[in-house]
């Protein structure tokens, strides 16, 4: 009986290093796991990049929609006799230079107010700089309000 108790741990330890032993099985299992990880890593990384780009595109479009809605709300709140004629928004590389994404919103509207009055009221909400945000007079009582801002994900695929 004592011989069996002494030999069992020794045999277990000895079988770990024998062919088909516990240690060999464990090493093979880890080599297999490592190989599968290396094999599937490029696929996982491609899926991650595509998911990030898709998420960025969705967020850029949501930012453009939010910008356009805010412009409409501010116009309606500040100009009592406004008639919105056309609303246009675009997300992408608007200027065509470089690799970046912009959010463009254009609202065409009609009102009896003068251009100066409209500029004064909109200057509370926007910096009318004549380039990225401005009001353009179309005819006597119609105007276009332009705003272009950088997108939250400016290096997205939409900018290429």
């Amino acid at each position: 009986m004592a011989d069996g108790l002494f030999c069992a741990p020794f045999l277990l330890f000895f079988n770990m290093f024998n062919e088909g032993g516990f240690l060999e099985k464990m090493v093979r299992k880890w080599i297999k796991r490592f190989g599968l990880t290396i094999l599937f890593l490029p696929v996982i990384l491609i899926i991650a990049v595509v998911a990030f780009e898709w998420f960025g595109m969705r967020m850029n479009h949501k930012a453009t929609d939010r910008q356009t809605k805010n412009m409409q709300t501010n116009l309606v709140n500040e100009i009592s006799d406004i008639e919105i004629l056309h609303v246009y928004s675009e997300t992408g590389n608007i200027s065509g230079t470089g690799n970046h994404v912009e959010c463009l919103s254009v609202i065409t509207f009609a009102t009896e107010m003068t251009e100066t009055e409209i500029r004064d009221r909109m200057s509370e909400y926007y910096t009318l700089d004549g380039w990225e945000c401005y009001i353009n007079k179309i005819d006597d009582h119609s105007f276009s309000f332009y705003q272009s801002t950088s997108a939250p994900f400016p290096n997205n695929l939409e900018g290429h």
Side-chain angles (χ1 to χ4, degrees), residues 49-120:
V49 167
V50 168
F52 179 76
E53 291 294 329
W54 180 82
F55 176 77
M57 284 189 259
R58 297 299 310 147
M59 292 300 106
N60 288 345
H61 285 276
K62 284 187 178 282
T64 302
D65 292 342
R66 184 174 48 248
Q67 172 179 292
T68 306
K69 286 179 181 162
N70 286 342
M71 287 173 62
Q72 277 183 286
T73 302
N74 292 336
L75 283 169
V76 168
N77 288 342
E78 292 297 323
I79 303 171
S80 59
D81 66 337
I82 192 169
E83 178 187 349
I84 295 180
L85 305 173
H86 183 70
V87 176
Y88 175 78
S89 63
E90 183 177 344
T91 305
N93 189 348
I94 308 301
S95 64
T97 59
N99 295 330
H100 60 280
V101 181
E102 298 163 319
C103 304
L104 173 68
S105 302
V106 181
I107 299 176
T108 305
F109 62 96
T111 182
E112 294 295 321
M113 292 177 72
T114 65
E115 187 175 1
T116 307
E117 290 174 321
I118 297 169
R119 285 180 196 274
D120 290 342

Side-chain angles (χ1 to χ4, degrees), residues 4-17:
L5 288 175
F6 176 74
C7 291
F10 177 74
L11 289 174
L12 180 64
F13 181 76
F14 182 73
N15 282 336
M16 285 175 44
F17 297 103

